[in-house]
Amino acid sequence: MNVRESARFAVRGVTANPLRTALTTLGILIGVAAVIVLVAVGNGSSAAVRESLSRLGSNTLTVQASQGGTGGRAGGFGGFGGFGGGPGGVSSGTQTRTAELTLDDAEALTDATLAPHVLRVAPRVSASSVTATYDGATHTVSTFLGTSPSYLAINDDSVQKGEALTAEDWTGRRRVALVGSTVAEDLVGGDGLDVVGKTVQFNGIAFTVVGVLTDKGSTGPQDEDDRVLAPLTAVQDTLTGYGSLSAISVQAKDADSVETAQAEIEDVLNSRHHVTSQDADYSIQNPTSLLTAVTSTSQTFTVLLASVAAISLLVGGIGVMNIMLVTVTERTREIGIRKAIGARRGDIVGQFLLEAVLLSLFGGLMGVLVGLVGSRFEIVGVQPVVSASSVALAFGVAVGTGLFFGLYPANRAASLRPIEALRYE
Amino acid sequence: MTGVRVPRPVLDLRGVTKVFGAGDTAVHALGGVDLVVDRGDYVAVMGASGSGKSTLMNIVGCLDVPTRGRYLLDGVDTRRLDEGRQALVRNRKIGFVFQSFNLIPRTSAQSNVELPLAYAGVKLAQRRERAAAALARVGLADRGHHLPSELSGGQQQRVAIARAIVTEPVLLLADEPTGALDSRSTSEVLDLFDDVSAGGRTILVITHEEEVAERAHRVIRFRDGHIVSDERRAPRGAHAVVTEGAA
Ligand SMILES: Nc1ncnc2c1ncn2[C@@H]1O[C@H](COP(=O)(O)OP(=O)(O)OP(=O)(O)O)[C@@H](O)[C@H]1O
Ligand SMILES: [Mg+2]
């Protein structure tokens, strides 16, 4: 008997009980769709992070304080994306044994003779848990950054309405602020642009909003428009105190001089902090190291998601096996009849194996369909990016699952003794 | 055996014993049966319930193996056959008819009749044709597309007979084929058997009914796993026009 014959019997077997087939198929469907969607989410979020890193500019460096002596430039990417500041901000400012980056450090980096390849320098402090209040509306700001006007140029920021920060704002320690659109919309409603010129309370301290920042979009779950920028001097006066900086953003002259600029920064800071590169109390993130770190993290993330999905595929496979065992038991008599009229072992194995594969094939196809459709929607702020290999893999594994989990029931059916199968009630 | 030069027998059982279970609970279903059935014969097997008739048929049909003894089917020792060859023998040499019809559910009469041909590797077009011819022979030419559940018991049994004869086996085995049928269906089935017998095939039919046994040429009676009588009522191949070369 040929494969087409077996296939016909298998199709008949599968269609004989549509509800059961649908439910069994659903297990595989969910597994395959989960693999496709979750891998796509993983891919999408790493693509988003990479994109925002590239928007950050390929010639920006971030200097952060690290624990003295642990040194090296291999530090993680705590403030990834350039926002968010150091852990816990600097509001306490009195931790012992924590190295400090000071305004003088930042100042020193602007020295044209010591660091000729440095174009711009922006010291940063971040204030944590800042709540903005305006006219009864409140908003918890996810990133409140005190910095210098040059930060806008380094971070490729602009204002869509109002004025940017100026040197006078800095020197005059003016309590002015630029807000991102998320903050603006929450405070005044509408498109938020009316917030310009208003006085907003940040943790009870009044700042005048002078401009609304141009939208950055979001990086994965992080909303980059949920932020406030103010002159560092004023933020230190009011919210953070005069402790260490969270970080210093540095822009090299161009992409080619990033390495040189980094070496210059190390020289300047080493001599100021009386350390060597081996026991440096700060770390410098350049775009490449950041990208490497982010990529490996998002790969871990993707693998994690994929394994969760793979488990659900496995569960689907067990469902197929379960239903095939039931089918074999139910159709014991039929198997006996088939054997009595001359079915060979291979014929029976083929029929039931094909039936199992048919179930998983159908489930796999539907799963691919559902997965592809599901990946068109934004999921937790991430636009999923479907990878062809995950589709092929999920589908292949689904069919393989059918084969694997169908093998045992099919063999069990085939090894029934004809007389016992015929006598089965 | 008889000195007359007859072709080799279809069935040749020598000291066939079947024991179910072991120890105290062992059941001796067959206690050393010797039986030779020649080609073209029409044999009825009778006996009380539990006397071992079905057990005998299962062994003859290669559905079960004897505990002891030799069984030659068409000259071939069945103990030498592996599982695959047994399947082949069942497919090519034997047609089964059961008391409970045993059609495959949710499968049309036509497909049921085609099934042995499918397992024999016959091409689709030829299979269709031969199955339709077999159905026509049992008088169900117009019922090919019906499911077993849409047919009466008598019709189902006739489909089963069509399925049993479609491969033109040398041996037709029937275990109480009329046990579930009324007298009219019974006589239809028996007429078909006469027809098959006239075609030169060997028939072994198990029955409780005298009416069925009357049609046979030879009647064997069983008691407690032994043959107690063996009576010829008509010459072998009484209906047959030609007996050789038909298989
Ligand atoms: N699989 C089995 N396991 C144990 N005992 C069995 C088995 N099959 C048959 N027997 C026993 O063997 C004996 C013969 O059974 P068999 O089915 O051959 O009788 P039978 O002559 O066909 O009876 P009936 O006319 O009622 O069909 C019985 O005692 C039965 O209980
Ligand atoms: Mg019986």
Side-chain angles (χ1 to χ4, degrees), chain A residues 1-2 4-5 8-9 12 16 331 333-334 336-345 347-348 351 414-420 422-423, chain B residues 20 58 62-65 83-84 87-88 90-91 96 98 100 102-107 111-112 114-116 118-119 121 124 127-128 163:
Chain A
M1 197 168 69
N2 58 26
R4 241 185 58 212
E5 250 351 277
R8 269 186 32 198
F9 292 141
R12 208 173 284 154
R331 284 157 64 189
R333 211 181 155 84
E334 177 189 326
I337 300 170
R338 286 177 184 274
K339 287 201 152 187
I341 60 178
R344 274 156 306 206
R345 212 187 151 80
D347 297 326
I348 303 288
Q351 179 185 341
S415 52
L416 285 170
R417 300 259 314 282
I419 185 64
E420 276 152 22
L422 269 174
R423 281 170 172 273
Chain B
F20 292 106
N58 292 334
C62 283
L63 293 173
D64 208 350
V65 287
E83 204 188 315
L88 203 68
R90 287 196 292 266
N91 186 240
F96 286 99
F98 302 92
S100 51
N102 275 348
L103 296 178
I104 296 195
R106 292 182 295 274
T107 305
S111 297
N112 259 291
E114 279 180 29
L115 203 55
Y119 288 127
L124 189 66
R127 208 194 302 158
R128 289 254 156 86
R163 186 178 67 185

Side-chain angles (χ1 to χ4, degrees), chain A residues 27-261:
Chain A
I28 295 284
L29 185 157
I30 291 172
V32 170
V35 167
I36 292 174
V37 171
L38 291 186
V39 168
V41 166
N43 280 343
S45 77
S46 86
V49 169
R50 239 177 286 128
E51 197 199 309
S52 84
L53 279 181
S54 74
R55 235 192 288 131
L56 195 64
S58 54
N59 51 353
T60 7
L61 295 161
T62 306
V63 184
Q64 280 182 312
S66 57
Q67 295 292 321
T70 56
R73 3 191 301 208
F77 60 108
F80 99 62
F83 311 113
V90 286
S91 42
S92 68
T94 52
Q95 294 134 319
T96 50
R97 303 189 60 83
T98 300
E100 300 210 332
L101 283 174
T102 63
L103 266 180
D104 290 339
D105 287 334
E107 188 69 29
L109 294 179
T110 59
D111 189 313
T113 47
L114 287 175
H117 290 91
V118 170
L119 181 65
R120 292 189 184 91
V121 176
R124 287 159 34 186
V125 293
S126 23
S128 49
S129 13
V130 173
T131 306
T133 332
Y134 171 75
D135 196 19
T138 62
H139 173 84
T140 307
V141 180
S142 79
T143 307
F144 190 104
L145 212 58
T147 186
S148 69
S150 55
Y151 178 81
L152 292 169
I154 296 174
N155 198 42
D156 195 21
D157 275 324
S158 57
V159 289
Q160 50 176 316
K161 188 183 177 200
E163 303 290 328
L165 296 179
T166 63
E168 289 74 42
D169 292 334
W170 171 278
T171 51
R173 312 185 90 82
R174 288 187 195 149
R175 297 181 185 179
V176 294
L178 301 177
V179 297
S181 57
T182 305
V183 182
E185 283 161 21
D186 257 20
L187 290 179
V188 299
D191 60 1
L193 295 181
D194 291 343
V195 82
V196 175
K198 303 287 192 306
T199 299
V200 175
Q201 308 283 328
F202 292 103
N203 283 2
I205 292 147
F207 280 74
T208 305
V209 175
V210 294
V212 176
L213 290 158
T214 308
D215 286 358
K216 278 268 185 195
S218 56
T219 306
Q222 187 174 354
D223 178 2
E224 291 197 34
D225 296 316
D226 187 2
R227 58 180 180 147
V228 175
L229 299 185
L232 180 134
T233 47
V235 175
Q236 284 191 327
D237 286 346
T238 53
L239 292 167
T240 65
Y242 304 96
S244 169
L245 300 177
S246 328
I248 304 172
S249 294
V250 180
Q251 188 176 23
K253 283 230 148 56
D254 50 57
D256 293 335
S257 53
V258 171
E259 293 288 315
T260 334

Side-chain angles (χ1 to χ4, degrees), chain A residues 196-326:
Chain A
V196 175
K198 303 287 192 306
T199 299
V200 175
Q201 308 283 328
F202 292 103
N203 283 2
I205 292 147
F207 280 74
T208 305
V209 175
V210 294
V212 176
L213 290 158
T214 308
D215 286 358
K216 278 268 185 195
S218 56
T219 306
Q222 187 174 354
D223 178 2
E224 291 197 34
D225 296 316
D226 187 2
R227 58 180 180 147
V228 175
L229 299 185
L232 180 134
T233 47
V235 175
Q236 284 191 327
D237 286 346
T238 53
L239 292 167
T240 65
Y242 304 96
S244 169
L245 300 177
S246 328
I248 304 172
S249 294
V250 180
Q251 188 176 23
K253 283 230 148 56
D254 50 57
D256 293 335
S257 53
V258 171
E259 293 288 315
T260 334
Q262 181 166 349
E264 290 167 3
I265 294 166
E266 282 171 8
D267 285 345
V268 170
L269 291 180
N270 285 352
S271 74
R272 287 183 54 82
H273 290 197
H274 310 292
V275 294
T276 64
S277 293
Q278 273 68 49
D279 62 351
D281 55 358
Y282 59 89
S283 64
I284 302 177
Q285 284 151 5
N286 62 35
T288 333
S289 71
L290 209 57
L291 197 63
T292 314
V294 168
T295 307
S296 83
T297 315
S298 63
Q299 261 164 11
T300 315
F301 181 56
T302 306
V303 166
L304 209 74
L305 289 180
S307 31
V308 169
I311 289 170
S312 76
L313 196 55
L314 182 77
V315 173
I318 293 171
V320 169
M321 177 148 161
N322 185 24
I323 220 64
M324 287 312 297
L325 284 174
V326 171

Side-chain angles (χ1 to χ4, degrees), chain B residues 51-107:
Chain B
S51 56
K53 307 182 297 291
S54 296
T55 306
L56 177 78
M57 194 189 96
N58 292 334
I59 289 172
V60 167
C62 283
L63 293 173
D64 208 350
V65 287
T67 311
R68 278 187 301 280
R70 243 153 75 88
Y71 164 38
L72 306 182
L73 170 63
D74 218 8
V76 180
D77 191 338
T78 51
R79 280 180 308 189
R80 298 234 180 82
L81 301 175
D82 61 16
E83 204 188 315
R85 297 214 149 266
Q86 277 184 18
L88 203 68
V89 163
R90 287 196 292 266
N91 186 240
R92 302 287 160 85
K93 300 202 168 171
I94 300 169
F96 286 99
V97 179
F98 302 92
Q99 178 175 4
S100 51
F101 322 138
N102 275 348
L103 296 178
I104 296 195
R106 292 182 295 274
T107 305

